[in-house]
Amino acid sequence: MPSRTPSSPPGPTPGSDPRSPSGPAPAHAPGGAPDRAAGPASGPAGAALPAALLCDMDGTLVDTERDWLATIAALLAEHTGHTANTGHTGSTGHGPDGLDTYAGLPLADAAERLAERIGTLTPETVRARLDETFTARVRAGVAVQPGALALLDSARDLGVPVALVTASERPVADLVLATLGTHRFACSVTAGETSRGKPHPDPYLAAAATLGVRPEDCLAVEDTPTGAASALAAGCRVLAVPTVDGIAPGPRTLLVASLAEADLTALPWPPAAAD
């Protein structure tokens, strides 16, 4: 696994999102606006390319999903003596109260659920504790997932704009963007920048609108059921690299073991039909 790289914030430039469900949204464009017409293009040998690549962050591009779940587990252990009431051991648990159910959740939603589970802390206190601990973990350094940079650079070389679509807060996303390289992204959408977060479709709809493309022409890259549900609800096709169980293959969902297996010129879908 790659070594963990210390992160620092890049200070992105705000943009706008006139077509998101909640109206204008503070989308950010660290890499500049895309110089590309909407709609799918053709790659080598006429292969259909996505109009945009919409990438989740934690667990997908960087190995921070385990840091997030470890943050949840530590707070649960501190206040309840165990990490989940499912009877499972280890760092993650399955079932309605298992740690896996927190994977991909926005901070506010996770804090509400965790406060109810703990019973002695308010959601505001839980949110502050989770935010402080997780941000510190990310600031200490993140490991880029195998194949992530190659996929992002391939998209850039093929003229496919890339958006970061994450359930993490803006300060955490900016730390990771600095590690991955802001030049690799045309825009980013983070927690709180749409009226609803994942698993609702709003973040992916906002990213597609900012890029000026149709969601159904986009390829989303996700690692959790929460994120995949968000992308599918927006109309995107999904390339899934699961870090937890629960993502099923389907007509619009392709599962791979690693981003190193991803090839934007060999996707199994024809171009989406025009309206």
Side-chain angles (χ1 to χ4, degrees), residues 1 4 55-69 103-105 134 138 142-148 164-168 172 176 180 198 221-224 239-244 247 256-259:
M1 175 169 289
R4 296 174 71 84
C55 294
D56 173 59
M57 185 180 80
D58 297 305
T60 301
L61 297 180
V62 290
D63 189 22
T64 48
E65 198 70 67
R66 70 178 64 199
D67 289 328
W68 170 243
L69 295 179
L105 279 183
F134 181 57
V138 173
V142 298
V144 179
Q145 295 284 40
L164 187 74
V165 185
T166 176
S168 282
V172 171
V176 174
L180 295 174
K198 299 176 184 180
V221 189
E222 276 284 357
D223 72 306
T224 67
L239 177 69
V241 192
T243 55
V244 295
I247 303 179
V256 294
S258 165
L259 290 182

Side-chain angles (χ1 to χ4, degrees), residues 5 21 89 101:
T5 306
T89 59
T101 63

Side-chain angles (χ1 to χ4, degrees), residues 123-140:
E124 293 75 20
T125 298
V126 172
R127 176 171 180 157
R129 290 283 304 277
L130 293 177
D131 188 26
E132 179 183 9
T133 303
F134 181 57
T135 301
R137 287 176 181 267
V138 173
R139 186 175 286 114

Side-chain angles (χ1 to χ4, degrees), residues 155-166:
R156 188 178 183 90
D157 291 344
L158 292 167
V160 176
V162 180
L164 187 74
V165 185
T166 176

Side-chain angles (χ1 to χ4, degrees), residues 181-203:
T182 58
H183 65 283
R184 293 186 165 97
F185 299 88
C187 69
S188 58
V189 178
T190 73
E193 295 180 351
T194 55
S195 60
R196 300 178 301 175
K198 299 176 184 180
H200 299 288
D202 305 37

Side-chain angles (χ1 to χ4, degrees), residues 32-144:
D35 182 18
R36 184 169 187 264
S42 294
L49 297 175
L53 189 66
L54 312 180
C55 294
D56 173 59
M57 185 180 80
D58 297 305
T60 301
L61 297 180
V62 290
D63 189 22
T64 48
E65 198 70 67
R66 70 178 64 199
D67 289 328
W68 170 243
L69 295 179
T71 300
I72 300 281
L75 195 60
L76 270 174
E78 178 183 344
H79 290 278
T80 69
H82 48 84
T83 59
N85 68 355
T86 60
H88 289 257
T89 59
S91 62
T92 62
H94 307 284
D97 295 314
L99 290 180
D100 285 2
T101 63
Y102 294 91
L105 279 183
L107 175 61
D109 294 346
E112 288 280 353
R113 181 180 296 183
L114 196 56
E116 183 178 355
R117 172 76 183 89
I118 292 172
T120 58
L121 299 177
T122 66
E124 293 75 20
T125 298
V126 172
R127 176 171 180 157
R129 290 283 304 277
L130 293 177
D131 188 26
E132 179 183 9
T133 303
F134 181 57
T135 301
R137 287 176 181 267
V138 173
R139 186 175 286 114
V142 298
V144 179

